[in-house]
Structures are given as C-alpha cells and as structure tokens.
Amino acid sequence: MIPYGRQDISQDDIDAVVNVLRSDFLTQGPVVPLFEKTVSGYCGAKHAVAVNSATSALHIACLALGVGKGDVVWTTPITFVASANCALYCGAEADFVDIDPRTYNMSVERLAEKLAEAEKAGRLPRVVIPVHLCGQSCDMAGIHALSRQYGFKIIEDASHAIGGRYHDEPIGNCRYSDITVFSFHPVKIITTGEGGMALTNDGQLAKRMRLLRSHGITVEAADMHARAAEEIWNYQQTDLGFNYRMTDIHAALGLSQMKRLDEFVTRRHALAKRYDEALSNLPLVTPWQHPDGYSSYHLYVVRLKPDKIERTHREIYEELRAAGILVNLHYIPVYRQPYYEAKGFNASYCPQAEQYYSEVLSLPLYPLLSGEQIDYIIDSLESILFTKQI
Ligand SMILES: *Cc1c(COP(=O)(O)O)cnc(C)c1O
C-alpha cells in the first residue's frame, strides 16, 4: 500500500524523544519554548505559540482576534473542515469564498466582489482565513490590501505550507497577516505526532493565545487582578481557556524534524518534478505553480480532463486504490459536508470549487516515496486512464 502522505522519522528524531522521556519534564519543560523559538526564527516571525493541533491553533487565533457571536469568518471551501469549524467554536458563522481555477486557492477577485456585497448588506467578515492549499501561498498581498480597505483580520491557515515561500520570504513571517497557523500532523511537512503552532508579530495576540492555550491561567504577577495580599498565590485564572498545550515529547520530535525541513521540501520538489514530466502527456492538469511562490508541496493534486478520458472520476479513484495506491481527494467543499449543508448551503454554492471537486485526485507525495513507487504510480495511472470501459 502506498499512502498519499506519511512521516519520515530518523534515529535522531527517536533519540530526541527518548531524551525527553528520560528528563525531568514531559510537559511544560524547556523543549516547547525551544521548538517555538526555532520555528519563529526559521519563519522570521516575532512570536510562536505551540499547541496540540492546528485545529486548536485556529481556535485560539480566532478568539484572540475577538471572533464571537454575531461575527462571520470567511475561508475557502477547498480546505480541511478545521479552517471553518474554528469560527463555529467561537459562536460565529462561517462562509466561503470561491477558488481561483489555476492555483485552487481562495480567489482574490471573488473575495473583492463578495466584500463589496457584504459591505452593502452590513455583513463584513471579522476574519478571513486563506489556506495555502498543497503548500502554495495564496495571493497574500492582494488579500492584505483588501483587509486594509474593509477592516478584517487575516489568519493564514498554513497547515500545508511550512517550508514554503512567498515573494522570496518564508511563509509564516506574517508580513500580510495577523496570525499564521501550522499543522504538525504526520501527513504534513514536519510532524510532532499531533501538534500545531500559531505565529504572530503582535505581542498582545501572542500573549492572549498563550493564556487561552492553558486554561486562561496566568502566572505573571503583572497580569493578575488586584486582590488582598493574602489572596494572591502563584496563579490566577483571568479568562476561560483550554488545555491546548503541546508536550515536550511532541516538541522534541518537532525540533528534531526542523533540522530536515528544507531537505524534506527539496525532496518533495524533486518528486513533483518527476510527476510533472511523466504526466505531461496524459489528459491531466498538473499543479500550476505561481511564480510569486515556492510551494512546500504538501500535496500533488492532478485534475482530470473529463472530456478526454472515458473513465469516471470515481472509477479512476477506486482502481488506483485497488492497485494499492491510496489516492485521496483534497477536498470535498466544506459546505457540502452534511453538518454545513444543514446550515443552508446548497451544492452549487461555489462553482469553481464544485468543478475542482469533480475532477481532482491527490497522488502520493512524501519524502520517503521511492523511485520505484513513483514509477508504479505513473504506470498505473496511465493504464487506468486509457483502459476503456468494457
Ligand atoms: C491538517 C489541517 C488542519 C488541521 O490540522 P490538525 O493539526 O490536524 O488539527 C487545518 N487546516 C488544514 C488546511 C489542514 O490541512
């Protein structure tokens, strides 16, 4: 079986985890801040807050930006559900901006149109969450310019994109956003098992996210509420937070993986190039790369050309899986999920997203994918595309 993505764990990674297991602190020790410092340093952001998943990071990022009841948060329909769910956790609503047909990221033109309409209706979003699909950056300069005009905040969901670049700077530096979120799930670029991180250049936002990841409890005397001296102990709960902390065990794995981040992305590019070349003569659209960016290549998404293929999307998906190639579909438009459909979204809400959804497959792509495996995938795909239904 060839999965669509998987981790690459070295002996150094294992040793780093074992060292923490033998140390004094399994959690709330020195490794989490070291991991945070390493990632914020790599990305060129001032602050980083490590948490137990990107989902948690998106939640506290929304809360830190003041998302609450009565607010609307906009994201792309072509993303993992967590990019939209974070709004609902805060009591806000989620809405969706259609995608660009070339990059498959949120379309800045559709965003501009939707903002103009929302302004008239008095329903502007508080936060917009662009998602760097497959590791390719959104048009952040364009989205940022619109945020200035309409006054919304920006959270980059860069769950796919650590190690990627935009305008020759690292994704995660928050030049065009308030907060950037990474995921360290094992299929992503680097892993901590489960884990995530929120980066920002705003000290107040960082402080607020740190508070929210640990029950809303502060240990800083300066942040404590005034009380009679005999009532002040070593901590106070000043807000309602969560236990979203990352452990030192997880952070040790992440810190060790950071050493190979660039190597992982380079390897992903080499494999993507091999696919690009081998698939160029097939009735497929291979991933178009915007010249403004350098993708981390979390995913290699191909788009079928249905008018040139006699098999259906479903048949190709099932036959590849039957051949042991665990292709996937990233993603079903979020508003198509039964939970969102029940909120009144209909199946034709975003036409470009619908078209994309009906034509795409993610081929396996991860650093340990071997030359033989990639050849097998290419050969299988070719023979399935050109086999006629009997
Ligand atoms: C993986 C992913 C998430 C959620 O990440 P977790 O760390 O698993 O919570 C959020 N958004 C996108 C786009 C993702 O791919």
Side-chain angles (χ1 to χ4, degrees):
M1 290 289 181
I2 308 176
Y4 82 87
R6 66 156 293 157
Q7 69 280 7
D8 175 346
I9 302 295
S10 68
Q11 188 59 48
D12 281 354
D13 294 340
I14 294 167
D15 293 345
V17 171
V18 170
N19 283 342
V20 172
L21 289 173
R22 295 191 201 285
S23 78
D24 289 337
F25 297 100
L26 301 188
T27 190
Q28 295 176 286
V31 189
V32 169
L34 204 55
F35 181 39
E36 290 173 336
K37 200 160 170 265
T38 303
V39 175
S40 62
Y42 178 91
C43 294
K46 286 199 183 113
H47 311 277
V49 181
V51 286
N52 57 3
S53 71
T55 304
S56 304
L58 287 163
H59 183 194
I60 60 174
C62 283
L63 289 174
L65 290 170
V67 174
K69 210 166 153 43
D71 290 329
V72 194
V73 172
W74 291 2
T75 186
T76 166
I78 301 300
T79 185
F80 185 55
V81 293
S83 316
N85 289 346
C86 55
L88 309 190
Y89 296 157
C90 304
E93 283 173 43
D95 198 358
F96 303 93
V97 182
D98 207 354
I99 60 167
D100 177 280
R102 281 219 288 184
T103 62
Y104 317 140
N105 281 328
M106 177 184 285
S107 158
V108 177
E109 290 73 37
R110 294 292 86 73
L111 177 61
E113 286 171 12
K114 198 174 165 79
L115 285 164
E117 287 165 23
E119 186 174 47
K120 279 189 215 137
R123 231 13 215 141
L124 283 169
R126 180 178 287 269
V127 172
V128 173
I129 307 182
V131 178
H132 304 316
L133 191 74
C134 306
Q136 168 157 254
S137 179
C138 294
D139 174 358
M140 289 311 301
I143 296 169
H144 184 253
L146 289 168
S147 81
R148 287 293 167 90
Q149 190 181 341
Y150 290 97
F152 58 84
K153 303 288 184 187
I154 301 172
I155 301 170
E156 293 174 71
D157 183 344
S159 291
H160 297 182
I162 193 169
R165 298 175 73 80
Y166 176 65
H167 286 173
D168 219 18
E169 292 180 359
I171 291 176
N173 70 0
C174 301
R175 180 180 295 286
Y176 298 106
S177 65
D178 298 281
I179 297 169
T180 300
V181 167
F182 292 136
S183 171
F184 307 127
H185 182 277
V187 296
K188 305 288 166 69
I189 307 293
I190 63 161
T191 190
T192 59
E194 294 278 3
M197 201 176 277
L199 284 78
T200 182
N201 292 319
D202 181 324
Q204 287 306 315
L205 288 176
K207 190 168 173 182
R208 182 118 190 88
M209 290 192 288
R210 283 185 207 287
L211 195 71
L212 290 167
R213 85 168 155 188
S214 198
H215 308 279
I217 284 174
T218 182
V219 296
E220 304 290 333
D223 298 328
M224 292 190 190
H225 290 209
R227 288 288 184 273
E230 65 274 17
E231 281 187 46
I232 294 188
W233 301 97
N234 57 338
Y235 75 89
Q236 269 185 357
Q237 183 190 345
T238 58
D239 212 316
L240 184 62
F242 311 88
N243 183 350
Y244 281 170
R245 291 187 305 263
M246 177 181 280
T247 74
D248 282 49
I249 306 168
H250 294 84
L253 179 54
L255 184 61
S256 177
Q257 290 250 303
M258 276 302 287
K259 293 191 192 129
R260 289 188 294 153
L261 170 56
D262 290 340
E263 191 186 312
F264 287 157
V265 173
T266 303
R267 172 74 183 150
R268 285 173 175 275
H269 271 261
L271 292 167
K273 188 156 174 263
R274 195 149 167 177
Y275 273 136
D276 285 345
E277 287 163 5
L279 303 180
S280 63
N281 296 320
L282 299 185
L284 299 171
V285 181
T286 54
W288 183 72
Q289 298 298 292
H290 196 292
D292 281 355
Y294 176 76
S295 179
S296 62
Y297 260 119
H298 165 52
L299 297 174
Y300 191 90
V301 169
V302 293
R303 203 161 166 164
L304 309 174
K305 293 182 176 167
D307 50 326
K308 298 208 170 72
I309 301 171
E310 305 210 13
R311 319 301 305 281
T312 66
H313 188 209
R314 170 73 57 177
E315 284 166 358
I316 295 164
Y317 172 87
E318 280 177 358
E319 288 183 35
L320 283 165
R321 289 182 77 103
I325 301 164
L326 300 184
V327 288
N328 221 308
L329 201 168
H330 297 97
Y331 292 93
I332 303 163
V334 174
Y335 58 77
R336 285 273 202 135
Q337 299 292 348
Y339 183 82
Y340 281 87
E341 249 173 22
K343 295 181 174 296
F345 289 104
N346 72 48
S348 56
Y349 192 59
C350 294
Q352 291 295 340
E354 291 295 321
Q355 180 88 21
Y356 167 93
Y357 165 50
S358 71
E359 296 173 357
V360 292
L361 291 173
S362 305
L363 303 183
L365 182 63
Y366 50 90
L368 288 176
L369 190 69
S370 71
E372 287 97 78
Q373 284 173 320
I374 202 166
D375 288 343
Y376 172 68
I377 295 163
I378 291 161
D379 290 347
S380 305
L381 185 59
E382 185 163 4
S383 73
I384 290 167
L385 286 176
F386 291 121
T387 311
K388 289 199 179 155
Q389 196 71 347
I390 304 152

